[in-house]
Amino acid sequence: CVPACLCVTMCGIQGMCVSVRQAACVRIQRGMCVCPAGTVAGIGVEGVTPARGGPAGRGGGRGLRRFEEIPHTGSSGWLNLVKFWREDRFKLLHKHMERTFNTLGPIYRERLGTQSTVNILLPSDISELFRSEGLHPRRMTLQPWATHRETRQHSKGVFLKNGAEWRADRLLLNREVMMAPAVRRFLPLLDEVARDFCRLLATRVEKEGGKEERGHSLTIDPSPDLFRFALEASCHVLYGERIGLFSTSPSQESQKFIFAVERMLATTPPLLYLPPRLLWRLGAPLWTQHATAWDIIFSHAEKRIQRGVQRLRSTQAAGGGSGGAEGEFTGILGQLMDKGQLSLELIRANITELMAGGVDTTAVPLQFALYELGRNPAVQEQVRGQVKAAWARAGGDAHKALQGAPLLKGLVKETLRLYPVGITVQRYPVRDIIIQNYHIPAGTCVQACLYPLGRSRDVFQDPERFDPGRWGTQESGEGAGGGGGFRSLAFGFGARQCVGRRIAENEMQLLLMHIMLSFRLSVSSSEELSTKYTLILQPETPPRITFSTL
């Protein structure tokens, strides 16, 4: 090998100087020779994993390239942040990412305030990232949330924990929210709420809607009803009790909770790039709004938890377990208390996180799903036909019906492909990796950007087409995609995927199933949908949907 044209100090191989020759090889002083794929002749380079399955990055054929050579949006994080504020880019962060990938290619660096990330979108590169996540995967800490817990002296749930402590708590939670037996326990509760929602909506359509040849129809913005559905369903699963949001006069307390969740989500993105403890000490209005919203969320959850604890303790005193009568499911709270493996304080922290994260993240994708079904009548009829056949075969068993209608799962995945709730999934690799032929040191925040991924022509054929059926086949994603199954990441991946995933997936599928059995959907041809980002992706203006009884 010929010595030096570039010199890289590689994290994890301290004191070793790597010289990169443009044409072919890399020489590490002390005599080891490294080829551009990242392996030493006969010896693996500790801490460096070669990318597989993806195309050569910019400068392919020039050998391994330095981290600093990754295309970037500007070297000053604070100047970038000022631009974001001035141009209101936070609201359109997903579009900014898409434009930047189109300009800079499939990998770029970005600095915003205190945050620095490497952004990627191709499945082959995402696969490489997840292979290096380690035993205790880390994602970007939402520091405003963590600061709220610390300043209010609340315990943190698994969402905000890392390391061995995170893993121990997460494994205990998985048994009650992720495993198949747990899903079979709580699915009937979700089904009950979904049926009630459709029953009440049918009554409303018949009362308020116009008469048609085959029934009645009513055009509404369903978003307020979907938010109430999501909170009602979440509370039923978490606490084992209904909270009455479908009544003619739902409680102001619950409405206040929904508003607080929206306010908390809206104030999070700008706080991510600023020092929250400083803002807390200064009493900055943005921080005050954020913290007040969280206080309302915790207060609402605490009242529900206290009621649930009292009810369960009364049952125990009467000679029953926390699980209630034999075969009765009294909610995830009861299951966790009955097992006794988490302290009540940790149960409170995790139940509150599940509750706060289970409203907008379900209600908003349902808005998008109804909109896409309404403007794609052929897809709607295909889904309805499969649902009707599955329902008839299942004899009213919701679990069997879902298993017999895979298009419902495809419908949710396709909705989240085009409208991902969270627009990135982050990891901090535990060892140095190579992506797109660039060296990325261990500990770098690397994020897969889901909005541009879902709309990339390199990954999906005809990406603008709404097609739930594409998930029923092994779509090869010809071209630069590669990466096997790393195309659907709306709930994350692996040990650190969304802890409420099974609740959310089944909640959405059940409601969509009952809507397909009860209504035909349509939207006006002039109904255009624009999106905005407030920690979750949502419609700028909620779409109006026409529900027609079948």
Side-chain angles (χ1 to χ4, degrees):
C1 292
V2 177
C5 61
L6 292 172
C7 186
V8 185
T9 301
M10 298 188 69
C11 180
I13 317 179
Q14 289 184 338
M16 292 187 180
C17 180
V18 179
S19 301
V20 182
R21 185 182 172 192
Q22 226 175 22
C25 57
V26 179
R27 190 187 71 164
I28 298 183
Q29 289 179 0
R30 303 185 185 178
M32 291 188 290
C33 184
V34 186
C35 70
T39 55
V40 182
I43 310 172
V45 179
E46 183 182 357
V48 179
T49 303
R52 305 179 194 84
R58 290 169 174 267
R62 293 182 56 194
L64 179 64
R65 305 193 69 178
R66 295 178 302 146
F67 178 79
E68 291 77 12
E69 291 183 273
I70 299 173
H72 60 83
T73 58
S75 57
S76 171
W78 296 109
L79 282 178
N80 288 343
L81 186 61
V82 169
K83 286 180 186 175
F84 264 67
W85 278 99
R86 190 173 62 233
E87 298 170 14
D88 200 18
R89 280 196 218 169
F90 285 114
K91 194 169 75 171
L92 295 173
L93 186 58
H94 55 302
K95 294 286 189 182
H96 162 78
M97 289 176 174
E98 188 175 41
R99 284 194 302 270
T100 307
F101 280 118
N102 288 338
T103 303
L104 298 181
I107 181 171
Y108 71 90
R109 288 188 293 126
E110 184 147 66
R111 299 185 68 180
L112 282 176
T114 58
Q115 299 285 355
S116 179
T117 62
V118 172
N119 294 352
I120 59 176
L121 87 158
L122 294 180
S124 56
D125 296 337
I126 296 169
S127 172
E128 185 67 24
L129 173 64
F130 284 128
R131 274 199 292 269
S132 64
E133 67 176 8
L135 182 64
H136 303 131
R138 285 177 57 215
R139 57 187 174 198
M140 184 188 294
T141 298
L142 294 182
Q143 199 54 52
W145 297 17
T147 300
H148 173 267
R149 307 300 189 273
E150 292 158 7
T151 56
R152 297 299 198 266
Q153 297 185 327
H154 292 312
S155 293
K156 294 175 183 176
V158 292
F159 191 86
L160 294 172
K161 284 185 175 180
N162 287 301
E165 187 183 21
W166 159 80
R167 184 173 178 82
D169 291 358
R170 177 65 194 249
L171 289 174
L172 294 174
L173 280 174
N174 281 351
R175 295 172 194 168
E176 308 307 331
V177 296
M178 292 290 286
M179 301 300 188
V183 173
R184 284 194 289 272
R185 284 195 295 268
F186 64 64
L187 194 137
L189 279 69
L190 294 175
D191 186 53
E192 177 191 320
V193 179
R195 288 178 191 241
D196 285 353
F197 177 93
C198 288
R199 229 178 345 255
L200 289 167
L201 182 57
T203 300
R204 181 180 174 189
V205 170
E206 289 177 6
K207 277 186 179 180
E208 301 175 21
K211 187 78 172 69
E212 292 185 339
E213 184 179 339
R214 290 187 291 179
H216 293 77
S217 68
L218 179 67
T219 303
I220 58 171
D221 164 15
S223 58
D225 300 307
L226 293 172
F227 277 90
R228 284 194 290 270
F229 162 76
L231 182 54
E232 184 81 14
S234 292
C235 287
H236 200 17
V237 168
L238 293 174
Y239 309 121
E241 67 174 1
R242 299 288 293 269
I243 62 173
L245 281 175
F246 293 165
S247 66
T248 52
S249 54
S251 74
Q252 288 299 309
E253 179 191 5
S254 295
Q255 293 295 107
K256 190 177 178 182
F257 174 85
I258 292 173
F259 177 78
V261 171
E262 293 174 347
R263 174 55 50 188
M264 176 271 290
L265 293 172
T267 53
T268 296
L271 287 171
L272 287 174
Y273 310 102
L274 297 167
R277 278 195 170 269
L278 176 61
L279 298 178
W280 166 60
R281 289 192 177 95
L282 294 174
L286 183 63
W287 169 257
T288 302
Q289 289 178 40
H290 183 76
T292 301
W294 267 120
D295 291 342
I296 293 168
I297 291 166
F298 267 81
S299 174
H300 185 274
E302 180 61 23
K303 288 175 185 174
R304 295 285 167 198
I305 291 167
Q306 283 297 334
R307 271 201 289 270
V309 168
Q310 289 169 9
R311 187 179 72 251
L312 294 165
R313 284 177 176 166
S314 297
T315 303
Q316 288 175 324
S322 295
E326 186 177 353
E328 181 186 352
F329 176 65
T330 58
I332 291 168
L333 174 66
Q335 294 294 122
L336 291 171
M337 286 186 63
D338 201 36
K339 298 289 168 56
Q341 294 173 303
L342 282 175
S343 69
L344 184 56
E345 188 60 32
L346 288 177
I347 290 173
R348 281 195 182 99
N350 285 291
I351 290 288
T352 302
E353 284 183 4
L354 282 166
M355 193 171 172
V359 179
D360 293 57
T361 52
T362 304
V364 171
L366 283 168
Q367 292 180 54
F368 286 125
L370 296 179
Y371 169 78
E372 288 292 348
L373 286 169
R375 73 185 195 126
N376 291 280
V379 170
Q380 183 182 161
E381 289 308 313
Q382 184 186 19
V383 175
R384 180 177 291 107
Q386 190 180 87
V387 164
K388 280 186 170 181
W391 185 251
R393 289 193 303 269
D397 184 315
H399 185 253
K400 288 182 180 177
L402 291 184
Q403 289 180 319
L407 277 177
L408 286 170
K409 182 177 283 189
L411 173 57
V412 171
K413 290 179 79 171
E414 185 72 346
T415 300
L416 293 173
R417 174 182 73 83
L418 290 170
Y419 311 102
V421 176
I423 60 173
T424 65
V425 176
Q426 319 88 29
R427 289 294 186 272
Y428 295 79
V430 297
R431 63 178 185 272
D432 290 18
I433 58 174
I434 299 169
I435 292 180
Q436 290 291 316
N437 216 30
Y438 292 103
H439 165 246
I440 298 176
T444 302
C445 181
V446 184
Q447 53 183 12
C449 300
L450 305 189
Y451 184 87
L453 162 67
R455 293 167 183 262
S456 170
R457 295 188 180 278
D458 290 329
V459 181
F460 293 98
Q461 295 179 3
D462 196 4
E464 298 301 319
R465 178 170 53 93
F466 186 75
D467 179 16
R470 77 168 78 233
W471 299 102
T473 60
Q474 292 295 318
E475 180 174 307
S476 61
E478 293 88 348
F486 293 94
R487 293 180 178 81
S488 179
L489 293 167
F491 292 102
F493 171 79
R496 192 114 209 193
Q497 65 185 289
C498 172
V499 71
R501 175 177 189 161
R502 300 301 178 215
I503 299 173
E505 285 178 329
N506 285 285
E507 188 177 322
M508 288 189 278
Q509 289 179 48
L510 285 166
L511 184 63
L512 291 167
M513 178 177 74
H514 288 297
I515 286 176
M516 288 294 93
L517 291 169
S518 304
F519 305 99
R520 181 171 289 103
L521 310 174
S522 59
V523 295
S524 168
S525 58
S526 62
E527 184 81 41
E528 291 293 328
L529 191 66
S530 58
T531 52
K532 63 180 179 180
Y533 175 71
T534 57
L535 197 63
I536 67 169
L537 193 68
Q538 57 186 298
E540 182 78 47
T541 302
R544 292 176 61 79
I545 311 290
T546 298
F547 292 83
S548 302
T549 53
L550 294 174

